[in-house]
Amino acid sequence: MNNFKPKIIAFCCYYCAYAAADVAGSLRLQYAPEVRLIEMPCSGRVDPVVILKAFEEGADGVYVAGCMEGDCHFLKGNIQAKKRVEHLQKVIAELGIEPERLAMYNLSGAQGDRFAEIANQFTERIKKLGPSPIKEGEMYNDNS
Amino acid sequence: MSTEHLSTVIYQDTDQQVNRCYGCMKCSGGCPISFAADIKIHEIIRLVNLNQLDKLLQCKTIWLCAFCKTCKQRCPNDIDSSLVMDWLKSKALRDDVAIAMPNIPILYQSFLQSVEKLGRVHEAGWISSYKIKTKTYSNDLKLGLKMIRKGKLKLLPGRIKNYQQIRKIFSCARKEL
Amino acid sequence: MEKKTGSVMVVGGGIAGMQAASDLAESGFLVYLITNEDSLGGLMATLDKTFPTNECSMCLLGPRMTGSSNEVNINLLTRAEIVNLQGEVGNYTAEVVRKPRYVDESRCTGCGQCAEACPVEVDDKFNGSLSKRKVIYKQFPQAVPNKYAIDMEKCIGCQKCVKACAARAVDHQQQPETIEIPIGAVVLAPGFESFDASLLGEYGLGYYPNVVSNIQFERMLSSTGPTGGHIKRPLDGEAPKRIAFIQCVGSRDCRNKHGVEYCSAYCCMASVKEAVIAKEHHPDIEITIFFLDMRAYGKNFDRYVNRAINDGVILERSLISAVKEDPVTGNLSLNHCKQGDLLSSEYDLVVLGAGIRPPSSAGQLADSVGIELDEYGFAKTDASSSTITSRCGVYAAGGFVGPKDIPETVASGSAAAAAAMEALATARGTLKQSKEYPPEKDFTGQDPRVGVFVCCCGSNIAGVVDVPSVVRQATGFSDVVGAWSFTYSCSQESLQQIREIIEKHQLNRVVVAACSVRTHLSLFRDALRLAGVNQYNIEMANIRDQCSWVHRSTPDQATQKAKDLVAMAVAKVRLHKPLQLEPVTVIQKAMVVGGGIAGMTTALSLAHQGYQVYLIERQPELGGMLNLLHLKQKGVDPKEMVREKANEVINHPNIKVYYNSEITSFSGRPGNFHSLVKVGGKTVVELNYGAIILATGSKEASLKDYLYGQHKQVITRMEMEKYLAENKAAVGLNTVVFIQCVESRQQGREYCSRTCCSQSVRQALALKELKPDLNIYVLYRDIRTYGLMERDYRLAREEGVFFINYDDENSPLLQSEGGDRLLFKAYDPASRIDIKQPVDLVVLAGAATPSDGAKKLANLLKVPVNEDGFFVETHAKLAPLDMPSAGVFICGAAHSPQNIAEVVTQGRGAAARAATLLSKPYLMAGGTVASVNAEKCASCLTCVRACPYGIPAIGKDNKVEISPVQCQGCGTCAGACPNKAIALEHYRGEQLTDKVRALFREVTGNE
Amino acid sequence: MKYSYYPGCSLCSTASEYNLSSEAICEQLGIQLKEIPDWNCCGATSAHSASAYLAVALPLRNLILAEKMGLDMVVPCAACYHWQRVAHQEVVTGTAIGKKANQELGDIIGASYNGNLQVKHIMEVMLQQQVLELLPKKITKPLKGMKLASYYGCLMLRPAEVVAIDNPEQPDSIDKMAQALGASTVRWSSKVDCCGGSFTLAESGVVDKLTFDIVSAARRGGADAIVTACPLCQANLDTRQKENDEQMPVFYITELIGVALGMSESRQWFKKHIVNPLPLLERFNLLKKG
Ligand SMILES: Cc1cc2nc3c(=O)[nH]c(=O)nc-3n(C[C@H](O)[C@H](O)[C@H](O)COP(=O)(O)OP(=O)(O)OC[C@H]3O[C@@H](n4cnc5c(N)ncnc54)[C@H](O)[C@@H]3O)c2cc1C
Ligand SMILES: Cc1cc2nc3c(=O)[nH]c(=O)nc-3n(C[C@H](O)[C@H](O)[C@H](O)COP(=O)(O)OP(=O)(O)OC[C@H]3O[C@@H](n4cnc5c(N)ncnc54)[C@H](O)[C@@H]3O)c2cc1C
Ligand code: SF4
Ligand code: SF4
Ligand code: SF4
Ligand code: SF4
Ligand code: SF4
Ligand code: SF4
Ligand code: SF4
Ligand code: SF4
């Protein structure tokens, strides 16, 4: 179990989480190396299909990181994202994937420390859960 | 009595523009005798602005003021409350009102009598005169004896050469009032 | 007429300077932005969050700074000062001295190796000296330009930095240089400085470690600050449990050489904000703010303060005389008075609400450019417009004109820009620079040919990540033509090489594995354009900030992550489509709704700039509320001002005024709007224009409280203006009472009407002038004569106007005594006396509310109003004059209650904002925007509801259409669309899925 | 360096040790003091509350006498210093009282004041560059290890426009001198607090609290002793400490300078103190037991 190197995808809004990752970098904060960032124009762009695809491909955890509530660069994209994530948690639960493998976080672009903390916490959480129940094969088919 | 507003009279006599007061209460917060004051310093200033002379002349605060000028140092409107207190004190004495802390003017008077008479103050002399007037002999008795023993209080007064000049200064001052 | 120079120098790199610079650059002028610091940002860079939205200051500022430094028409000069200005408006020559950075900006990559090597540590002034930095340093992590600099005074000359810098950027021999720059106008925005509270020893700053200034506290709250965002006592690093804020430190204080009489205007709110943020960090911290008047006069400020109180922040109305320290615990104690009692309390930390001062360089700057300063040392400006200085062609903005918060600063930056645009209207566009690019190659139908460039960033990346193995792996991906590595990809040489490689290998797509898209994407996009490749055909993998810097101890994993990120970038870039920006023409005319002082100012500015303006006023005359004001304000007679402006408006050939008219329809897109305007209730005209500015103003609320309407001796403040105009107010009066905050700042109208305190004070002074022995009482909750208006408040007190504070529990009472007689009763907390007085006249400071019909107009234009009915701007801090719909702008009392000077500033500022649009013959639309696949669209309207800007709309065939000009590119609609009918370019569904897939297996073109 | 010297009434009685030590150290440091002949009481804490005029006229006579001597005036007593400065200021700035008093004094003593004089507190004299340079050469008994709370009180700091010899809120001139003597000074916040000296006799309850607070603060700051430059402060702090409590000696700065200069007569000064400072001085080996 100790050798388990989870694959984690973080969909990061350009205006907050991506910027916070840069701050974490310039401050040389050290955090868990398992997270792969995907830059998004806004957390509101988060697409249910893409997230489900990520789990299908074998991601052990996925999170979406957007601006603080009320602070969204695009006014309310992060609220939409939150709703979608909450909905998707139910969907994956029905597919037999622990809903804790999907999360939504809010942070501001200056919070390098918070970015690192989230990466650490989430990685820790996924390590505890172990590898995704989806090993190989397809549980979900998308036609897009 | 003049019908002029108290704040105007005080402004004329002391140059203190009390109507500038914000009521910010800095003076009261910093005043060392606030804890003992029946009317707080900012309230004194406020009562001047409200033309409430009687209340002011009867309060303890004006006599307690130690003239330390902490209020003036910190007042954002540059009001020197100690000068207002001084003005109220002399007004109280002039108007012969019942003074809330009678010992204090007696103390000042005893001191000044000594100066008027001798040109300098004779500590043992004025203190005992004060104690007689206020019937407070026993207070600090031990301390006084100790001071005498240590040569700090001389029993015999000395007088300056030109003591008449001092008396003239005092009489000029009386004319001022 | 002599030819004018189409360039402007902006002095000061704070938010005011950046705003002025970007408005000017965007509207066709060449800008020289000079600042005496190492980075852009100014005071805002030191702040953590900003009131009243609690947004992160740096998040707001970061994009602004990068934007200013990337804009081709802004030449940024750091460590620079203007020392001389010769010539006249339109044709100035500015002499600028650039002090050396000792680091070659063109070479430095911001890697920080030099600072790691530097052996000398000094106090970090940026962090309020609460931490240390090296002698070679970057001002703050997000500094722009992202370059290092040497603090030469402290340098010991050890040359370690020189050796450490692989880019060979450090140059200890750099000398100051003087440059002469031809310009047409100057905008001065050197800001203000925080007052040095250690000069007031009674508060103990600099003597007692646990007393800090508000700037230091901001730094502590900031996650990039000296304590990493943790509130710690400087003495022992303990987390404080009790914090006191002391207000008006060094402001509203005329006692000695260190004080100033004005109110610094921002500090009440800043302290409330800092208290709120501190409480967010640690909800159980006990926080008390000691204040005199809570000056929460701005838009949404009172709500903010009320929320703070609900969250447990304690407000105590009492200034503090002195702070004492317990030398054993470092705890601090202070006395305050409450209802006549003297209370003493102990705190773990004390924060001083230090006010502001004009910048220390103000005197020298004024001499150099030949302008006058006012008695406080701020820029002396024209009585009727605070952007106009004493020298023609020199304009002032921001804190330099007087205390201001951020949105006011931004508005004044725009206003100064507008003034310069007016002066240089004929030269607009003459010096505008645009880069020459080769024609774009057409790759249609070609397979992807991807080139991967992996950066070593000196040893920043290569020191941790195994760059050769990343290159090796990348070479193997399908569609990848080749991979190359560079020591510094962003250096001029490397960029040149990249272009050559692209051309040689006929690459049509590029991946750069280096640093952040936030700082470097535009640079590499430019390289693509120069190589004839569509600038959107690039993807970056951030293998520095996200790998080498943050996983130093696990180089293998860092390398693996770098490889993954590159694979993911390649997978995504394969599907990139060349995006074209399409030009759409702009009608270079504006419509202004509302002919008050705001609307007239905007109209005149645009007209002076050469644009045609339609001014729509529903009354038969221009001037709005100012027609009703009588008293002079800052030396300005409002009626006079209205008359002058109205004449100018009426006689200006570029302005067409429509009286008695209202707009009845609104359609089109930015740059091309159409409206029907009903004139005189009958005629309807159709007007086409490119931008619209709302200036519909405010009105006095109709009052019910305090016997208004029942007793003829109770009048409103507007009625008082009329009385004073007729000079009869004082006749036969003995006692006049002003009651403040009537129907403002209460349930249902939880805001401050902002103009009433100062107006009542002026009215009281005017009455005193008419009849010096008149008894005047002003019953107030907080006297809000913020900023330089504080002087009027002092004058009124000196004249004997008696101010009595009241609160909700002790509201004043007014009784009719039959006939004309009235009696007022009030409790005076400052003397603990009940005051009962017969009174002859009562003046109610009634609330200001949005003018009638504002809501209707908002619905017509599909723009939002807030719960109070005022228009809601795009962004409360940085876009105060823009409305969320592109092409719509806002100014004046319709935005929020404000005083004449502020209205004029906003009016002019809105003109600059509109000019950024109107100055362009066409708009470039497209890029990263959403588009609808009509075939898939089920017309479910999910997107219509999801879009934060209300842009998707039902169009032809009942299908949704999205205007590429209006779309902001957030992708919320695309994420929401249940049929996946909406694609956000660059983030299309298949691009994202492929990017995800690439983490697990190689993605090829054959899936 | 030559000055006219105004000792004032206190220094002739309750604060005689201040007088003795001031004169002694000045002599040692080559500063000549010439006592103003026939000087009179400045009115101190009482004159102003009876009459604003008296508070100016009394010290003005001394200024006239000193001006005749042609020497700047040195005053060790903070109260006298304060009132002499006030009188100087009133005349120089030409206030109504200043003008009147100057004119009437002219009639009374045949000379009036021209304002050609500087009134200096003895601390100002001691902190002159020359003296500071001389001191290290003269110090034979540095006050090493002694921790002092320097106490300034009100009269030499306020009002700042008239008297400030120092930062009115965070003064450090006594600290600097104490440090020059080899002692260390403690960080404390009661340096400029009022001790209530003006009514020590009339309202002893109030004064007891004020002095108690100050002495406790000094103790909490870790001080071995308090050092002042004002006879009212010294007397008040020295005499108001309760016999049963732990007591803290209160020095005049001039006494400590004397000790550091190795003056053996200092023992006589200390005998006049109410709180006996000898054990402390002996503990630091500054005075021999005996
Ligand atoms: C503690 C604190 C908290 C605050 N919090 C808030 C808040 O929450 N919300 C809010 O709205 N406002 C807040 N403010 C106010 C806000 O910071 C200011 O309104 C704003 O930063 C002013 O911007 P500016 O561009 O005018 O000046 P500055 O930010 O001061 O920028 C001026 C720039 O000009 C440069 N410069 C100066 N002189 C020269 C020269 N001679 N030559 C070249 N360059 C020069 C300076 O170095 C600086 O870079 C706060 C202020 C403080 C002090
Ligand atoms: C009671 C009160 C007292 C004030 N006192 C002062 C003061 O003493 N000092 C001070 O500086 N400021 C004062 N103000 C603020 C003052 O209103 C502004 O300073 C200034 O007048 C605002 O200018 P404006 O152009 O934004 O709005 P306004 O002066 O209100 O002008 C708005 C104009 O728009 C027109 N309009 C409105 N809606 C439409 C529409 N739908 N279509 C066409 N036209 C429309 C109106 O007819 C009006 O002419 C006061 C405000 C109020 C409410
Ligand atoms: S400090 Fe000054 S302004 Fe404040 S209450 Fe006292 S007298 Fe008034
Ligand atoms: S001068 Fe008087 S009122 Fe002012 S602070 Fe001192 S004791 Fe209080
Ligand atoms: S490139 Fe050179 S000067 Fe710039 S940060 Fe790196 S080491 Fe320092
Ligand atoms: S030369 Fe100066 S800046 Fe460079 S490392 Fe040495 S001390 Fe630091
Ligand atoms: S009243 Fe003015 S100066 Fe005082 S803290 Fe508030 S905003 Fe600052
Ligand atoms: S492009 Fe390369 S060299 Fe330049 S800053 Fe980014 S990582 Fe460093
Ligand atoms: S009277 Fe007006 S300006 Fe003053 S606080 Fe009340 S609402 Fe605000
Ligand atoms: S991308 Fe964003 S702004 Fe554009 S239409 Fe969609 S939701 Fe609206």
Side-chain angles (χ1 to χ4, degrees), chain C residues 62 473 544 557 838 873 887:
Chain C
Q473 166 174 315
R544 186 184 72 178
Q557 295 207 51
E873 60 276 31

Side-chain angles (χ1 to χ4, degrees), chain C residues 364-640:
Chain C
Q364 217 184 348
L365 180 63
D367 285 348
S368 310
V369 300
I371 60 153
E372 289 168 37
L373 298 177
D374 70 9
E375 70 266 46
Y376 304 119
F378 294 112
K380 185 170 181 172
T381 54
D382 193 78
S384 60
S385 169
S386 52
T387 45
I388 309 296
T389 71
S390 58
R391 186 168 183 187
C392 190
V394 179
Y395 310 104
F400 187 40
V401 187
K404 279 185 186 51
D405 66 358
I406 293 163
E408 283 183 57
T409 300
V410 170
S412 82
S414 287
M421 294 174 194
E422 292 166 38
L424 305 178
T426 53
R428 194 196 294 271
T430 53
L431 292 179
K432 188 175 163 186
Q433 298 180 346
S434 37
K435 255 186 169 166
E436 290 293 316
Y437 295 99
E440 199 174 299
K441 291 172 206 151
D442 185 3
F443 299 113
T444 331
Q446 278 187 17
D447 282 341
R449 293 181 61 78
V450 182
V452 178
F453 303 107
V454 185
C455 192
C456 299
C457 198
S459 63
N460 274 291
I461 293 172
V464 177
V465 169
D466 180 359
V467 171
S469 84
V470 176
V471 170
R472 233 175 294 126
Q473 166 174 315
T475 325
F477 291 135
S478 69
D479 294 335
V480 169
V481 176
W484 296 264
S485 74
F486 294 92
T487 316
Y488 291 109
S489 309
C490 57
S491 69
Q492 290 308 318
E493 300 106 280
S494 304
L495 289 168
Q496 178 63 32
Q497 280 174 27
I498 290 177
R499 261 158 60 191
E500 285 162 13
I501 293 172
I502 293 175
E503 279 161 16
K504 182 165 157 218
H505 295 271
Q506 294 181 335
L507 303 179
N508 56 19
R509 283 173 181 71
V510 164
V511 166
V512 178
C515 50
S516 172
V517 292
R518 293 171 59 251
T519 53
H520 281 66
L521 182 60
S522 57
L523 195 70
F524 292 115
R525 276 193 172 162
D526 204 56
L528 261 68
R529 279 184 87 182
L530 289 168
V533 176
N534 185 279
Q535 59 169 326
Y536 288 94
N537 281 2
I538 180 179
E539 201 50 29
M540 283 185 79
N542 191 343
I543 61 170
R544 186 184 72 178
D545 305 59
Q546 295 172 16
C547 293
S548 63
W549 276 355
V550 290
H551 310 309
R552 282 199 226 182
S553 54
T554 48
D556 288 351
Q557 295 207 51
T559 302
Q560 186 51 51
K561 185 168 170 183
K563 287 179 174 169
D564 287 350
L565 291 178
V566 171
M568 290 160 79
V570 170
K572 185 177 168 201
V573 85
R574 287 178 53 255
L575 299 180
H576 271 333
K577 279 195 212 152
L579 299 180
Q580 297 305 337
L581 299 176
E582 298 294 335
V584 280
T585 49
V586 170
I587 303 173
Q588 292 176 303
K589 295 178 185 173
M591 174 177 279
V592 176
V593 187
I597 190 66
M600 288 196 291
T601 308
T602 310
L604 279 170
S605 176
L606 286 170
H608 289 317
Q609 293 181 43
Y611 302 111
Q612 250 207 303
V613 182
Y614 304 117
L615 178 54
I616 314 297
E617 169 57 59
R618 68 177 169 203
Q619 298 294 325
E621 60 166 356
L622 296 171
M625 283 292 268
L626 290 207
N627 287 320
L628 308 174
L629 293 181
H630 164 66
L631 291 178
K632 277 197 180 171
Q633 204 166 321
K634 240 186 120 194
V636 178
D637 177 347
K639 284 207 181 97
E640 186 77 1

Side-chain angles (χ1 to χ4, degrees), chain C residues 11-17 34-37 41-44 47 49-51 80-81 189-192 214-215 218 266 270 273-274 361 365 398-399 404-407 409 877:
Chain C
V11 180
I15 190 65
I34 71 168
T35 181
N36 59 3
E37 294 184 302
L43 250 172
M44 239 186 114
L47 306 183
K49 304 261 166 53
T50 56
F51 62 78
E81 273 175 42
F192 47 53
N214 44 3
I215 292 268
E218 292 273 355
Y266 86 89
K273 166 194 74 178
E274 287 158 20
S361 64
L365 180 63
K404 279 185 186 51
D405 66 358
I406 293 163
T409 300
K877 303 266 90 180

Side-chain angles (χ1 to χ4, degrees), chain C residues 247-248 251-252 263-268 293 295:
Chain C
Q247 295 309 104
C248 297
S251 309
R252 302 182 69 187
C263 156
S264 293
Y266 86 89
C267 18
C268 276
D293 292 290
R295 294 199 160 159

Side-chain angles (χ1 to χ4, degrees), chain B residues 1 11-12 17 27 64 67-68 72 74 87 96 110 118 121 130 134-135 139 143 151 155 170 176:
Chain B
M1 210 194 108
Y11 179 46
Q12 282 158 4
Q17 225 173 328
C27 46
L64 279 170
F67 210 70
C68 71
K72 136 96 184 162
R74 313 250 167 87
W87 189 94
D96 229 1
S110 308
L118 307 168
V121 64
Y130 164 74
T134 56
K135 307 197 174 64
N139 293 3
L143 180 64
L155 291 174
F170 271 85
E176 277 292 299

